[in-house]
Amino acid sequence: MSLNLLDEALDGGGGGGGGGRVILIEDCVETSGAFVVHHLLKRSLSNPHSSDVVVFLSFANPFSHYERILRKMGCNLVIQRDNKRLLFFDMLMLKRDKGKKGEDLLLALYGEVQKAVEVLSREGIQHITVIIDDISLMEVDANGSSNLVLDFLHYCHTLTAQFGCSLITLNHEDVYSTVDRPALLLQSEYLADVVIKAEPLATGLAADVHGQLTVVNKGLRLDGSGNSSSRIHNFHFKIKETSVDYFYPGSQLK
Amino acid sequence: MAAIRPRSSSFSRSTSAASNSVPGLKHGPNGTIFLSSGIPDLDKILGGGFTLGSLVMVMEDPEAPHHMLLLRNFMSQGLVHHQPLIYASPAKDPRGFLGTLPSVMASKDDKSRVHESEQEKGLRIAWQYKKYFGEQNSDSQRDGKSEYCCDFDLRKPLERHFFTGKHIDCITLRYSADLSTFHDRCSSFLSQTPRTNGNIVVGRIAIQSLCSPQCEFSDNEWDMLSFVRSLKSLVRLSNSVAIITFPPSLVSPAFSKRLQHLADTLVSVKAIPDEDKELAKLLTGYQDMVGLLSIHKVARINTQVPVILEATTFSMKLHKRRSLTLECLNQAPVDGSSGTSYGTSGSCSSSSKTGALDF
């Protein structure tokens, strides 16, 4: 599998595909970061021989949407789900009881996630990835209480320490741009090892460049030179049906 | 010789004969089906129309009711195609709005419009060439497409027979303390248009000024978000399109952004001031414009590839005060170049005439 710029930025130029990491994806109305979620989902499931499992909490789209996109990218989610390598929680289509509070819903959801992760790790599964798409819709379920959502994220964060899970979350940065001190965004940025920002070009959208990605890798990896500072990668991307082209500004791949 | 077999790869397009026969629907990419917005130009810009199962948000201009133009054409088109409709608004008597729906333009008017555009073709000017690309295409496709999207005459009300015996539900949002009853009506409405193969029943939901302060629930932003989210999931499972207009200036910026993220297709309308001399100099046909329409997001269901439009802002014009048309903005030629005086007025003096707005 050839590595693209995004994979290189995530791996920090070497080092294994990294379990136990927390990745935060931020996007805005103009440029959706959903394609990064699709890419990471495919990456987690791509090795047919491994037993890596993905726990996917979808608040944004139904299963059929992801299934169709990933099929074009060469990854059959239905088979993965049947093989128990993908646990899909469809929170968009979930029927919500009127009397039930958001707190109970999120608690119940976390209970299910925790149970699933515990069972999987007892079975000897090495890498479990929890993906949440997206956090801002979780706040709607919590009826605007960002503390509830933060609690949920903290609980998930303990899973990464306890079982070596990876946690991948998507959030919309521009929602919080007018808030004075957006605790949810700031804290989730603080918890993350890697922050990926998807932004439009300053000059607007173009047919050849769909936007730019900024990857801040805070991972402390001591390489030969002893360089342990966080690395910032910046590159442009063009989204296609089957893949995404990543390239440095001005060096469009032919 | 290899026998020709139907390809069973996942990339082949499944075209069921049943949905082809339903008027007012068109197959789009990625297994989606398009529904007409009621404005031929908007359909063309969006690549076919609104996608079935999508949520369309329109950001209103607080000073002008241009969003009503979009709603009217959307609703009329549905009634012409005999599709069930829900219309909700904060007005006291929402049914009264049905009387203002435009009627289908008679074919005689249609011909005169085509004829006129042919006459104009003799006078083509290079910097306006984009106008004519669209016209030619629509002329050639008019016969096949007439069923899909009609031209509406904004001056004539829709004929009475389109309203009788139809499933039209008009709901006022003014007196309800929360959105739960309206939500139940939407969900029972949408359960009549399920996603099944075979015969397709298409529904349209139009909600005007969701967050307007006349509604009691307008101060509970999280309730409204939860309603929109729930509506989005219901619509996605059904063969319907929901269009919601909201005034972004009356809600908090964070809430407005959240609504924009929830939208599959996001459109905003803006009025243009009557006497903006600088803008009038910059754009041709300024006096005919009634407003500007910007497209921020086009629905991408079942795909991750964004739709990049050639232009995102279009001028809304009323063609002969009757039909709503959208056109790309055309930059006016600089003042000095129109005359004979290439030599006398140099490029410096002509550019200084354009004033503060300098490109």
Side-chain angles (χ1 to χ4, degrees):
Chain A
M1 198 176 81
S2 63
L3 284 177
N4 55 37
L5 283 175
L6 177 59
D7 289 326
E8 278 174 28
L10 286 173
D11 294 340
R21 286 204 297 176
V22 182
I23 299 177
L24 171 68
I25 305 157
E26 291 178 359
D27 69 356
C28 49
V29 173
E30 294 79 24
T31 309
S32 163
F35 72 95
V36 185
V37 176
H38 304 145
H39 175 81
L40 293 174
L41 176 60
K42 193 204 165 191
R43 207 168 88 128
S44 311
L45 292 170
S46 60
N47 190 349
H49 303 298
S50 78
S51 54
D52 300 355
V53 175
V54 174
V55 179
F56 200 107
L57 311 181
S58 167
F59 289 82
N61 289 296
F63 180 75
S64 62
H65 176 82
Y66 298 104
E67 197 261 320
R68 260 197 119 108
I69 290 171
L70 268 287
R71 193 166 20 146
K72 279 180 269 194
M73 296 166 72
C75 176
N76 194 325
L77 289 188
V78 176
I79 291 177
Q80 304 285 10
R81 194 173 57 172
D82 293 345
N83 290 344
K84 302 271 189 300
R85 289 193 56 200
L86 171 69
L87 300 177
F88 193 89
F89 292 89
D90 195 335
M91 303 304 292
L92 179 68
M93 299 305 175
L94 186 77
K95 289 261 186 303
R96 288 161 172 84
D97 298 333
K98 263 180 210 138
K100 224 174 169 186
K101 276 195 294 185
E103 191 173 357
D104 303 331
L105 184 100
L106 289 186
L107 273 178
L109 178 64
Y110 177 72
E112 282 185 61
V113 171
Q114 191 194 23
K115 209 169 70 189
V117 169
E118 270 176 4
V119 168
L120 288 169
S121 70
R122 224 177 290 141
E123 286 169 5
I125 308 274
Q126 291 291 318
H127 290 304
I128 305 165
T129 310
V130 180
I131 303 180
I132 305 175
D133 182 12
D134 61 63
I135 302 283
S136 73
L137 287 172
M138 215 174 194
E139 278 185 285
V140 177
D141 264 321
N143 207 16
S145 159
S146 53
N147 281 339
L148 271 180
V149 180
L150 263 178
D151 285 349
F152 190 93
L153 290 181
H154 276 294
Y155 290 152
C156 286
H157 196 242
T158 59
L159 291 179
T160 67
Q162 201 179 344
F163 301 102
C165 293
S166 298
L167 177 65
I168 298 169
T169 55
L170 173 71
N171 206 347
H172 305 306
E173 194 189 8
D174 50 357
V175 167
Y176 308 96
S177 58
T178 51
V179 181
D180 188 25
R181 201 174 56 88
L184 179 60
L185 191 73
L186 293 175
Q187 289 208 31
S188 50
E189 273 177 11
Y190 178 75
L191 288 178
D193 298 311
V194 182
V195 179
I196 304 173
K197 280 186 194 182
E199 293 159 316
L201 292 182
T203 47
L205 295 182
D208 292 331
V209 183
H210 290 166
Q212 59 179 331
L213 276 187
T214 309
V215 182
V216 183
N217 199 333
K218 295 192 276 191
L220 211 82
R221 286 238 169 78
L222 290 164
D223 49 13
S225 60
N227 182 11
S228 66
S229 63
S230 72
R231 293 179 202 87
I232 298 176
H233 299 259
N234 191 305
F235 43 84
H236 291 172
F237 60 86
K238 181 184 180 184
I239 306 171
K240 295 192 283 197
E241 289 284 1
T242 53
S243 63
V244 183
D245 285 343
Y246 302 96
F247 45 89
Y248 288 114
S251 68
Q252 167 91 60
L253 296 173
K254 290 278 148 45
Chain B
M1 192 176 142
I4 299 164
R5 270 181 220 150
R7 297 268 303 269
S8 60
S9 96
S10 58
F11 295 104
S12 64
R13 179 173 293 180
S14 60
T15 44
S16 62
S19 55
N20 272 344
S21 62
V22 177
L25 295 181
K26 204 156 79 170
H27 279 285
N30 303 309
T32 53
I33 301 174
F34 284 130
L35 173 91
S36 174
S37 64
I39 304 168
D41 290 333
L42 186 59
D43 284 350
K44 222 180 294 159
I45 292 163
L46 293 173
F50 295 142
T51 313
L52 277 195
S54 70
L55 174 70
V56 182
M57 292 271 201
V58 180
M59 295 196 273
E60 300 170 8
D61 184 325
E63 289 167 12
H66 288 333
H67 56 278
M68 303 293 248
L69 289 173
L70 299 184
L71 281 181
R72 279 195 188 106
N73 280 33
F74 176 78
M75 289 163 69
S76 271
Q77 184 69 66
L79 293 179
V80 167
H81 285 315
H82 310 289
Q83 291 157 351
L85 171 76
I86 282 191
Y87 170 66
S89 99
K92 270 184 192 154
D93 176 31
R95 193 160 274 275
F97 184 66
L98 294 181
T100 68
L101 294 186
S103 105
V104 181
M105 201 177 285
S107 55
K108 199 182 82 189
D109 298 330
D110 209 17
K111 267 179 201 153
S112 74
R113 185 185 162 186
V114 174
H115 185 65
E116 192 197 40
S117 72
E118 269 166 6
Q119 277 188 333
E120 280 175 4
K121 272 173 197 163
L123 284 171
R124 244 180 241 191
I125 304 168
W127 45 266
Q128 282 188 326
Y129 67 97
K130 271 196 180 166
K131 268 190 193 176
Y132 298 98
F133 280 136
E135 296 257 10
Q136 280 167 343
N137 284 340
S138 70
D139 286 350
S140 58
Q141 289 171 5
R142 184 149 287 162
D143 296 331
K145 237 173 68 173
S146 59
E147 270 294 289
Y148 177 68
C149 182
C150 308
D151 274 317
F152 288 99
D153 187 341
L154 293 172
R155 290 195 301 191
K156 273 192 228 151
L158 193 62
E159 287 86 349
R160 207 146 264 285
H161 68 89
F162 282 114
F163 297 112
T164 50
K166 298 284 157 42
H167 189 334
I168 305 172
D169 220 350
C170 291
I171 298 162
T172 176
L173 299 174
R174 180 170 279 200
Y175 305 109
S176 49
D178 60 3
L179 281 159
S180 62
T181 45
F182 179 51
H183 177 265
D184 292 344
R185 278 177 90 163
C186 284
S187 84
S188 69
F189 173 83
L190 288 169
S191 63
Q192 295 162 9
T193 63
R195 269 242 148 154
T196 49
N197 301 321
N199 66 329
I200 294 182
V201 185
V202 178
R204 294 182 185 229
I205 295 181
I207 303 171
Q208 184 213 324
S209 308
L210 178 70
C211 317
S212 83
Q214 290 119 303
C215 310
E216 271 181 61
F217 50 78
S218 65
D219 51 352
N220 194 339
E221 299 187 331
W222 292 102
D223 256 8
M224 285 190 283
L225 272 177
S226 156
F227 165 76
V228 173
R229 197 264 320 267
S230 173
L231 184 68
K232 180 183 176 174
S233 70
L234 289 171
V235 166
R236 187 63 80 85
L237 285 179
S238 70
N239 276 317
S240 307
V241 172
I243 181 163
I244 301 179
T245 72
F246 72 99
S249 52
L250 295 182
V251 298
S252 71
F255 175 61
S256 160
K257 279 282 179 212
R258 279 178 201 273
L259 282 178
Q260 293 174 35
H261 275 288
L262 274 171
D264 289 311
T265 300
L266 182 66
V267 172
S268 71
V269 286
K270 242 200 184 90
I272 49 177
D274 263 350
E275 293 292 322
D276 190 343
K277 292 227 170 91
E278 290 204 327
L279 207 58
K281 253 186 216 164
L282 285 172
L283 302 170
T284 60
Y286 179 81
Q287 55 283 356
D288 308 328
M289 291 183 197
V290 293
L292 298 172
L293 178 134
S294 306
I295 293 165
H296 302 276
K297 208 156 70 160
V298 181
R300 42 175 130 167
I301 291 173
N302 298 338
T303 181
Q304 61 174 354
V305 180
V307 179
I308 307 288
L309 301 169
E310 247 176 69
T312 53
T313 305
F314 298 88
S315 61
M316 300 166 83
K317 291 184 184 175
L318 292 180
H319 183 83
K320 287 175 148 189
R321 293 196 191 164
R322 287 174 175 213
S323 61
L324 183 65
T325 59
L326 302 176
E327 278 175 12
C328 285
L329 295 177
N330 288 305
Q331 200 180 326
V334 181
D335 240 6
S337 63
S338 61
T340 54
S341 52
Y342 257 107
T344 51
S345 72
S347 59
C348 295
S349 65
S350 67
S351 69
S352 67
K353 271 184 194 169
T354 53
L357 285 168
D358 203 358
F359 291 142

